[in-house]
Amino acid sequence: MLFRSPLAAPGILHQAVHEVAPPRPGNRHPERVPHGVYPCEGDDNWLLIQVNSDDEWTKLCRLVLPLAPYQSLDAEERQHQCELIESILIEWLSVQDARELMHRLQAEGLVAAVLSDMPGVMQDMHLQARGYWQMLERDFVGVQPHPSPPWRLSAEPISVKTP
């Protein structure tokens, strides 16, 4: 039998060794803080933020002024202060526009992405600029958008010929 879920392997091994299911981490990463999805201003507006290095942490602290006093924390110290850091970040984000902040964070080289509903994905300027959505005629329903493969072999998206 071919094992088709490599992401399940750590949990299966943990269960086999410890005879108990591993704890659920939620959005948290075992080594990186902050690393999660956080609510922003408005109703159901969420922003993914992932800090993967001390340099990225410093950049985030320069943008999120309430985090500035914690700028010198290294990855291990941030892990120990996770609750405090996330509470400060959540409070600050509660009055921030998710899309505007995403662009500011990305401009600094940080990982940030707005979580979008389907209309938001369909209207996403980046996907539109890349020609991601291709319109195809479908039996019974007419012209419908179809996603392009996420990779490219040239500057143009790979043509989608069938639904």
Side-chain angles (χ1 to χ4, degrees):
M1 177 178 174
L2 182 61
F3 187 61
R4 296 190 187 272
S5 186
L7 298 177
I12 292 168
L13 290 173
H14 185 281
Q15 176 84 29
V17 171
H18 301 286
E19 298 181 349
V20 62
R24 293 177 182 245
N27 284 324
R28 293 201 172 142
H29 189 279
E31 299 163 2
R32 299 180 181 138
V33 173
H35 189 280
V37 178
Y38 305 97
C40 292
E41 181 181 47
D43 185 37
D44 204 24
N45 294 315
W46 297 82
L47 183 66
L48 171 131
I49 299 174
Q50 295 178 349
V51 170
N52 298 306
S53 68
D54 291 340
D55 181 54
E56 290 180 8
W57 170 246
T58 300
K59 290 177 182 179
L60 183 67
C61 289
R62 287 185 191 139
L63 290 169
V64 182
L65 294 180
L67 289 175
Y70 306 96
Q71 184 173 329
S72 64
L73 297 179
D74 65 19
E76 186 176 335
E77 293 166 325
R78 290 194 305 275
Q79 193 66 31
H80 292 298
Q81 297 292 329
C82 182
E83 297 289 335
L84 174 65
I85 290 168
E86 287 196 336
S87 68
I88 292 168
L89 189 58
I90 288 168
E91 183 177 342
W92 185 81
L93 286 168
S94 70
V95 295
Q96 302 297 317
D97 177 85
R99 190 160 304 279
E100 179 183 311
L101 183 57
M102 173 188 73
H103 292 298
R104 284 180 38 215
L105 294 173
Q106 289 176 349
E108 294 296 323
L110 298 168
V111 177
V114 169
L115 276 62
S116 297
D117 56 11
M118 201 59 209
V121 172
M122 294 296 298
Q123 297 165 4
D124 184 273
M125 293 183 330
H126 175 79
L127 295 177
Q128 287 181 1
R130 288 184 51 84
Y132 181 74
W133 297 109
Q134 297 182 39
M135 304 307 281
L136 292 176
E137 180 78 31
R138 296 190 64 178
D139 294 340
F140 307 108
V141 295
V143 177
Q144 298 287 311
H146 289 74
S148 299
W151 58 88
R152 297 283 173 98
L153 303 175
S154 68
E156 296 300 315
I158 295 173
S159 179
V160 176
K161 295 178 177 32
T162 64

